[in-house]
Amino acid sequence: MSATAAKKRPLPVDIRARKGGTPLVSLTAYTTPMAQMMDAHCDFVLVGDSVGMVLHGLPSTLGVTMEMMILHGQAVARGLNTAMMVIDMPFGSYEEGPQQAFRNAARLMAETGAGAVKLEGGVAMAETIGFLVTRGIPVMAHIGLTPQSVNTLGGYRVQGRDAEGEAVMADARAVSDAGAFAVVLEKVPQGLADRITGDIPIPTIGIGASAGCDGQILVVDDMLGLFTAFKAKFVKRYAHLGQDGEAAIAAYAEEVRARTFPGPEHVFADTAPAKAAKT
């Protein structure tokens, strides 16, 4: 047996146990190659419904379907060996009630191999979260800015400033009490994020929240500079692959038009090269 044990894929209970410990690392992924790149570095990988905007050119996440999530979930699963996969429940797949949520969550997990689902909403979704958890569906909650509710929230604005803070705090307590194993805090003030992190017993995963959260998540295409339609304040660009890619495509187009590509090293001779004689 190898002296170095293989890294064990974490389960939701392991993620929950990381409360207050070394910060959890997460990124989104939508494809096998991206999943392979982040597998060794992330504790969990999220198949986000942001795929609708990032890869499919939709104006929001509202047009994402169950079929799209399953397709991308299956692709991501093929690229993961050590990170846990969490998958978003798309808009309209769980809001109707706990039974609808269970049917769709069970399908997502069965057809993708995800270790958990993520759904948006706080107090209003607590009953549904409890229903799922007691039936074997691990749930990561998502409060603060919930993109699926952008039309009722008045846009992609910060949630929880001033008097709104207590409502977000109530959401955090509700999802924790309902049995969620972690909660994403999106676009909430730093002080409120720190209060929530200190108040509830489950890990908080920040995105536009606070370095004091129990973990962080970003959309991988944002942090790599691949998605350039806009850049949120909370995004740090660790690379500029979109610019590099466009420059490479421009160089390719120029060489094709100038007939300098393909060069001699990229084409094949009319006759096969002679094989070396065996000695």
Side-chain angles (χ1 to χ4, degrees), residues 102-150:
F102 178 80
R103 288 193 301 273
N104 286 318
R107 181 185 173 199
L108 282 173
M109 292 185 69
E111 295 190 29
T112 67
V117 300
K118 180 171 75 65
L119 57 80
E120 298 181 6
V123 172
M125 296 310 301
E127 178 186 359
T128 294
I129 292 172
F131 188 91
L132 295 180
V133 170
T134 58
R135 286 158 179 81
I137 305 286
V139 177
M140 178 177 288
H142 182 155
I143 63 173
L145 173 62
T146 48
Q148 293 175 8
S149 303
V150 64

Side-chain angles (χ1 to χ4, degrees), residues 15-16 26 46 54 58 109 117 119 124 144 163 178 182 195 205 211 216 230 235-236 252 261 267 271:
I15 299 296
R16 191 186 192 286
S26 180
L46 174 69
V54 175
L58 297 176
M109 292 185 69
V117 300
L119 57 80
R195 283 178 55 210
I205 312 298
Q216 301 293 329
F230 60 85
V235 171
K236 178 178 179 179
Y252 163 74
F261 176 84
V267 296
T271 58

Side-chain angles (χ1 to χ4, degrees), residues 172-276:
R173 290 169 177 161
V175 300
S176 177
D177 291 345
F181 68 90
V183 57
V184 172
L185 306 181
E186 180 168 358
K187 212 166 183 179
V188 300
Q190 180 177 344
L192 176 60
D194 289 339
R195 283 178 55 210
I196 292 172
T197 300
D199 184 78
I200 63 174
I202 62 174
T204 56
I205 312 298
I207 178 167
S210 169
C213 289
D214 297 297
Q216 301 293 329
I217 188 168
L218 283 176
V219 172
V220 69
D221 295 69
D222 284 341
M223 58 89 71
L224 291 179
L226 282 168
F227 181 75
T228 58
F230 60 85
K231 177 182 173 295
K233 174 182 171 64
F234 54 76
V235 171
K236 178 178 179 179
R237 291 253 165 88
Y238 287 80
H240 298 278
L241 301 189
Q243 293 177 10
D244 293 344
E246 186 174 354
I249 291 168
Y252 163 74
E254 183 178 351
E255 290 188 9
V256 169
R257 294 185 179 113
R259 297 191 184 278
T260 58
F261 176 84
E265 69 274 29
H266 305 120
V267 296
F268 301 92
D270 293 329
T271 58
K275 294 182 178 179

Side-chain angles (χ1 to χ4, degrees), residues 87-99:
I87 190 165
D88 267 344
M89 298 193 70
F91 178 69
S93 69
Y94 61 94
E95 295 91 339
E96 185 178 332
Q99 289 79 13

